[in-house]
Short mmCIF file of all heavy atoms in Angstrom, two decimals:
data_model
loop_
_atom_site.label_atom_id
_atom_site.label_comp_id
_atom_site.label_asym_id
_atom_site.label_seq_id
_atom_site.Cartn_x
_atom_site.Cartn_y
_atom_site.Cartn_z
N HIS A 42 11.62 13.00 -0.68
CA HIS A 42 12.83 13.58 -0.29
C HIS A 42 13.18 13.40 1.26
O HIS A 42 12.47 13.85 2.08
CB HIS A 42 12.82 15.12 -0.56
CG HIS A 42 14.18 15.70 -0.42
ND1 HIS A 42 15.04 15.94 -1.39
CD2 HIS A 42 14.71 16.27 0.73
CE1 HIS A 42 16.12 16.53 -0.91
NE2 HIS A 42 15.94 16.74 0.39
N GLY A 43 14.33 12.79 1.46
CA GLY A 43 14.81 12.64 2.78
C GLY A 43 16.27 12.18 2.71
O GLY A 43 16.86 12.15 1.63
N HIS A 44 16.94 12.04 3.88
CA HIS A 44 18.33 11.69 3.95
C HIS A 44 18.44 10.51 4.85
O HIS A 44 18.86 10.57 6.00
CB HIS A 44 19.11 12.90 4.46
CG HIS A 44 18.85 14.10 3.64
ND1 HIS A 44 19.60 14.45 2.48
CD2 HIS A 44 18.03 15.14 3.80
CE1 HIS A 44 19.14 15.63 2.03
NE2 HIS A 44 18.16 16.01 2.78
N CYS A 72 18.56 11.19 -0.42
CA CYS A 72 19.38 12.14 -1.18
C CYS A 72 20.77 12.35 -0.42
O CYS A 72 20.80 12.91 0.63
CB CYS A 72 18.58 13.39 -1.15
SG CYS A 72 19.43 14.82 -1.82
N VAL A 74 24.17 14.25 0.08
CA VAL A 74 24.59 15.61 -0.18
C VAL A 74 26.05 15.86 -0.03
O VAL A 74 26.48 17.01 -0.21
CB VAL A 74 23.75 16.69 0.66
CG1 VAL A 74 22.32 16.72 0.24
CG2 VAL A 74 23.89 16.31 2.11
N GLU A 130 20.04 17.04 -4.04
CA GLU A 130 19.63 18.40 -4.23
C GLU A 130 20.83 19.30 -4.59
O GLU A 130 21.87 19.29 -4.04
CB GLU A 130 18.99 18.92 -2.87
CG GLU A 130 19.80 18.82 -1.66
CD GLU A 130 19.04 18.98 -0.43
OE1 GLU A 130 18.82 20.13 0.07
OE2 GLU A 130 18.52 18.00 0.17
N HIS A 168 17.18 22.66 -4.12
CA HIS A 168 17.05 23.31 -2.85
C HIS A 168 17.37 24.81 -3.03
O HIS A 168 18.33 25.15 -3.68
CB HIS A 168 18.12 22.70 -1.90
CG HIS A 168 18.47 23.48 -0.72
ND1 HIS A 168 18.13 23.06 0.54
CD2 HIS A 168 19.15 24.66 -0.45
CE1 HIS A 168 18.55 23.92 1.42
NE2 HIS A 168 19.11 24.94 0.85
N HIS A 192 12.09 21.23 -3.97
CA HIS A 192 11.82 20.64 -2.63
C HIS A 192 11.79 21.71 -1.59
O HIS A 192 12.56 22.67 -1.64
CB HIS A 192 12.99 19.62 -2.51
CG HIS A 192 13.78 19.77 -1.22
ND1 HIS A 192 13.33 19.43 -0.01
CD2 HIS A 192 15.07 20.22 -1.06
CE1 HIS A 192 14.34 19.63 0.90
NE2 HIS A 192 15.32 20.15 0.27
N CYS A 193 10.79 21.59 -0.70
CA CYS A 193 10.70 22.35 0.48
C CYS A 193 10.76 23.90 0.11
O CYS A 193 11.47 24.61 0.74
CB CYS A 193 11.85 22.04 1.47
SG CYS A 193 11.47 22.35 3.18
N GLU A 238 7.03 15.01 1.03
CA GLU A 238 8.29 14.77 1.42
C GLU A 238 8.48 14.96 2.90
O GLU A 238 7.66 15.67 3.53
CB GLU A 238 9.33 15.71 0.73
CG GLU A 238 9.31 17.17 1.20
CD GLU A 238 10.48 18.01 0.95
OE1 GLU A 238 11.50 17.81 1.68
OE2 GLU A 238 10.40 18.74 0.07
N ASP A 240 11.98 15.31 4.27
CA ASP A 240 13.32 15.86 4.44
C ASP A 240 14.00 15.26 5.77
O ASP A 240 14.78 15.83 6.42
CB ASP A 240 13.34 17.42 4.63
CG ASP A 240 14.67 18.04 4.12
OD1 ASP A 240 15.46 17.31 3.63
OD2 ASP A 240 14.93 19.24 4.44
N ALA A 241 13.50 14.04 6.07
CA ALA A 241 14.02 13.32 7.23
C ALA A 241 15.54 13.25 7.18
O ALA A 241 16.13 13.07 6.11
CB ALA A 241 13.42 11.88 7.19
N PHE A 243 15.25 15.78 9.16
CA PHE A 243 15.04 17.18 9.56
C PHE A 243 13.51 17.46 9.58
O PHE A 243 12.74 16.69 9.12
CB PHE A 243 15.75 18.17 8.65
CG PHE A 243 17.16 17.79 8.47
CD1 PHE A 243 17.65 17.29 7.22
CD2 PHE A 243 18.07 17.96 9.52
CE1 PHE A 243 18.98 16.93 7.10
CE2 PHE A 243 19.40 17.64 9.35
CZ PHE A 243 19.90 17.10 8.15
ZN1 LIG B 195 17.04 17.69 2.07
#
Side-chain angles (χ1 to χ4, degrees):
H42 187 94
H44 307 274
C72 172
V74 291
E130 56 195 273
H168 166 107
H192 124 76
C193 207
E238 70 159 288
D240 209 10
F243 311 109

